[in-house]
Amino acid sequence: GINDALDISFDVLKVIDARPINARVYDLHGRLVRTLNDAAGVAGHYQLAWDGRRDSGAMASPGLYLFHLQIAGDSTTRTLVRSIGLSY
Protein backbone atom coordinates (compact mmCIF):
# COMPACT_ATOMS: atom_id res chain seq x y z
CA GLY A 1 0.00 0.00 0.00
CA ILE A 2 0.90 3.65 0.05
CA ASN A 3 3.51 4.67 2.64
CA ASP A 4 4.05 1.07 3.78
CA ALA A 5 7.33 0.23 5.51
CA LEU A 6 8.97 -2.81 7.03
CA ASP A 7 9.71 -2.16 10.70
CA ILE A 8 12.77 -3.91 12.09
CA SER A 9 13.60 -3.94 15.78
CA PHE A 10 16.40 -5.66 17.64
CA ASP A 11 18.26 -5.52 20.93
CA VAL A 12 22.01 -5.27 21.28
CA LEU A 13 23.33 -6.86 24.46
CA LYS A 14 26.68 -6.84 26.20
CA VAL A 15 28.25 -4.05 24.16
CA ILE A 16 29.88 -1.54 26.50
CA ASP A 17 32.00 0.50 24.10
CA ALA A 18 30.48 1.89 20.91
CA ARG A 19 30.86 -0.67 18.10
CA PRO A 20 29.75 -0.72 14.45
CA ILE A 21 26.12 -1.73 13.86
CA ASN A 22 25.47 -2.18 10.15
CA ALA A 23 22.02 -2.89 8.74
CA ARG A 24 21.71 -3.19 4.97
CA VAL A 25 19.36 -4.54 2.34
CA TYR A 26 20.84 -6.42 -0.63
CA ASP A 27 19.30 -7.91 -3.75
CA LEU A 28 19.82 -11.60 -4.50
CA HIS A 29 22.87 -10.76 -6.62
CA GLY A 30 24.61 -9.28 -3.57
CA ARG A 31 24.25 -5.67 -4.71
CA LEU A 32 23.60 -3.10 -2.01
CA VAL A 33 20.07 -1.69 -2.25
CA ARG A 34 19.74 0.36 0.93
CA THR A 35 21.80 1.16 4.01
CA LEU A 36 19.49 1.38 7.02
CA ASN A 37 22.16 1.90 9.67
CA ASP A 38 25.89 2.40 9.44
CA ALA A 39 26.91 3.86 12.79
CA ALA A 40 28.48 2.84 16.06
CA GLY A 41 26.20 1.92 18.92
CA VAL A 42 26.12 0.42 22.39
CA ALA A 43 23.78 -1.98 24.16
CA GLY A 44 20.13 -1.01 23.75
CA HIS A 45 16.98 -1.33 21.68
CA TYR A 46 17.12 -0.30 18.02
CA GLN A 47 14.27 0.34 15.56
CA LEU A 48 14.77 0.70 11.83
CA ALA A 49 12.41 0.89 8.88
CA TRP A 50 12.69 0.16 5.17
CA ASP A 51 10.18 1.82 2.86
CA GLY A 52 11.15 -0.22 -0.19
CA ARG A 53 13.38 2.50 -1.59
CA ARG A 54 16.97 2.31 -2.78
CA ASP A 55 19.69 4.57 -1.39
CA SER A 56 19.05 6.79 -4.44
CA GLY A 57 15.43 7.32 -3.36
CA ALA A 58 14.00 5.28 -6.25
CA MET A 59 11.57 2.46 -5.49
CA ALA A 60 13.18 -0.98 -5.50
CA SER A 61 11.70 -3.52 -7.89
CA PRO A 62 9.28 -6.07 -6.43
CA GLY A 63 11.03 -9.29 -5.48
CA LEU A 64 13.08 -10.99 -2.82
CA TYR A 65 15.76 -9.14 -0.85
CA LEU A 66 18.16 -9.96 1.97
CA PHE A 67 18.32 -8.01 5.21
CA HIS A 68 21.86 -8.18 6.60
CA LEU A 69 22.54 -7.10 10.20
CA GLN A 70 26.12 -7.12 11.47
CA ILE A 71 27.05 -6.12 15.02
CA ALA A 72 30.68 -5.93 16.09
CA GLY A 73 30.62 -6.86 19.77
CA ASP A 74 33.35 -6.48 22.35
CA SER A 75 34.57 -10.04 21.78
CA THR A 76 33.02 -11.22 18.48
CA THR A 77 31.08 -10.03 15.42
CA ARG A 78 27.55 -11.36 14.95
CA THR A 79 25.77 -11.50 11.62
CA LEU A 80 22.09 -12.11 10.93
CA VAL A 81 20.58 -12.53 7.44
CA ARG A 82 16.84 -12.72 6.75
CA SER A 83 14.81 -12.65 3.54
CA ILE A 84 12.36 -9.85 2.73
CA GLY A 85 9.63 -10.08 0.11
CA LEU A 86 8.75 -6.78 -1.55
CA SER A 87 5.53 -6.43 -3.54
CA TYR A 88 3.29 -3.59 -4.69
Side-chain angles (χ1 to χ4, degrees), residues 8-83:
I8 303 163
S9 64
F10 57 94
D11 294 310
V12 175
L13 307 173
K14 299 181 182 178
V15 177
I16 299 167
D17 297 322
R19 302 284 186 192
I21 298 175
N22 301 311
R24 297 184 174 105
V25 177
Y26 293 91
D27 65 17
L28 293 181
H29 296 285
R31 295 178 295 224
L32 179 64
V33 173
R34 182 79 181 261
T35 299
L36 302 177
N37 191 73
D38 193 17
V42 294
H45 183 73
Y46 291 81
Q47 290 184 281
L48 306 172
W50 183 44
D51 59 3
R53 295 187 182 275
R54 299 179 167 280
D55 278 335
S56 67
M59 296 297 291
S61 300
L64 195 60
Y65 293 86
L66 298 175
F67 171 70
H68 185 269
L69 176 65
Q70 188 171 54
I71 303 170
D74 291 331
S75 61
T76 187
T77 297
R78 302 265 183 189
T79 302
L80 171 81
V81 178
R82 296 288 185 262
S83 62

